[in-house]
Amino acid sequence: IDEVKNKINLTYFAKSKGDYNIFGCEFVENNKDNIELLINGNKSILIDKCQLKEGDNKITLIIKNKLTLLSYMFSRCTALKDIQELKNLDVSDSKDFSYMFFYCPLLKDINPLQNWNVSNSHNFSNMFYECSLLKDITPLQNWDVFNCNNFSSMFSKCSSLEDVTPLRN
């Protein structure tokens, strides 16, 4: 993996200092030998749940090899705010995106996902479940989901979502 693409910077917003989920436990278990984490520039021993300071926290995900297991990646990451750099993540070999952003209530901009190659995926169930600020799913309109057989609850409890017509095709 190219050195630049090997690092993904994310922003997590903490209302108060404390422990927050950084990645879903299942994702960490499946990828623990393939990822490292920097929190505000400092290497972290823990990868899934970490101490964050109040306000914005810069989290850097270091990927040693291509990620193929993305299910539960940000599951229950209630402080996840900005995923802009996920636009560089190569997801072309991933078959399962289930629960990827499950209960990420601060996530509202999914534009970085618009050019993802998801054509090998079979499962998008609960991918954006309870992303309560998510309004615009237009970035997903050109995804090739021909091979997918599970979309169950993909947008359940997305209370701000008003229009699903971008997915009509």
Side-chain angles (χ1 to χ4, degrees):
I1 293 181
D2 182 296
E3 181 64 28
V4 174
K5 291 185 179 182
N6 154 351
K7 292 183 181 181
I8 297 173
N9 294 305
L10 304 160
T11 302
Y12 287 70
F13 177 77
K15 290 181 181 177
S16 60
K17 183 178 179 178
D19 288 338
Y20 289 86
N21 284 350
I22 303 299
F23 296 105
C25 296
E26 296 88 345
F27 170 78
V28 172
E29 184 61 34
N30 288 329
N31 292 286
K32 63 184 171 199
D33 296 328
N34 195 26
I35 58 177
E36 291 179 13
L37 192 65
L38 300 176
I39 300 178
N40 298 317
N42 300 311
K43 189 171 181 174
S44 176
I45 297 169
L46 299 174
I47 297 177
D48 55 352
K49 191 172 232 177
C50 297
Q51 181 86 202
L52 298 180
K53 65 178 177 63
E54 186 175 343
D56 281 348
N57 290 263
K58 299 299 180 195
I59 308 295
T60 302
L61 171 65
I62 300 171
I63 304 166
K64 298 176 186 174
N65 296 298
K66 191 174 183 180
L67 292 175
T68 58
L69 300 169
L70 298 175
S71 59
Y72 294 92
M73 187 171 186
F74 299 104
S75 179
R76 299 189 184 279
C77 294
T78 58
L80 180 64
K81 177 180 170 184
D82 181 4
I83 60 169
Q84 287 302 311
E85 289 198 27
L86 289 184
K87 67 183 175 214
N88 297 322
L89 186 62
D90 182 355
V91 299
S92 59
D93 289 339
S94 184
K95 295 186 181 350
D96 189 349
F97 291 87
S98 65
Y99 295 88
M100 187 172 185
F101 298 103
F102 178 86
Y103 192 57
C104 292
L106 296 180
L107 183 63
K108 60 183 173 182
D109 180 6
I110 59 170
N111 281 315
L113 313 182
Q114 69 182 332
N115 292 318
W116 275 9
N117 177 357
V118 298
S119 61
N120 286 316
S121 182
H122 300 281
N123 190 354
F124 292 98
S125 67
N126 298 287
M127 185 174 183
F128 298 102
Y129 185 99
E130 210 163 335
C131 290
S132 53
L133 293 180
L134 182 60
K135 287 183 182 181
D136 182 15
I137 57 173
T138 306
L140 310 182
Q141 70 184 346
N142 292 320
W143 276 11
D144 176 0
V145 293
F146 180 78
N147 290 316
C148 184
N149 57 24
N150 190 351
F151 294 98
S152 65
S153 300
M154 186 173 177
F155 299 105
S156 285
K157 297 194 177 187
C158 290
S159 54
S160 297
L161 186 59
E162 299 171 349
D163 183 15
V164 294
T165 57
L167 303 182
R168 67 183 170 269
N169 293 327

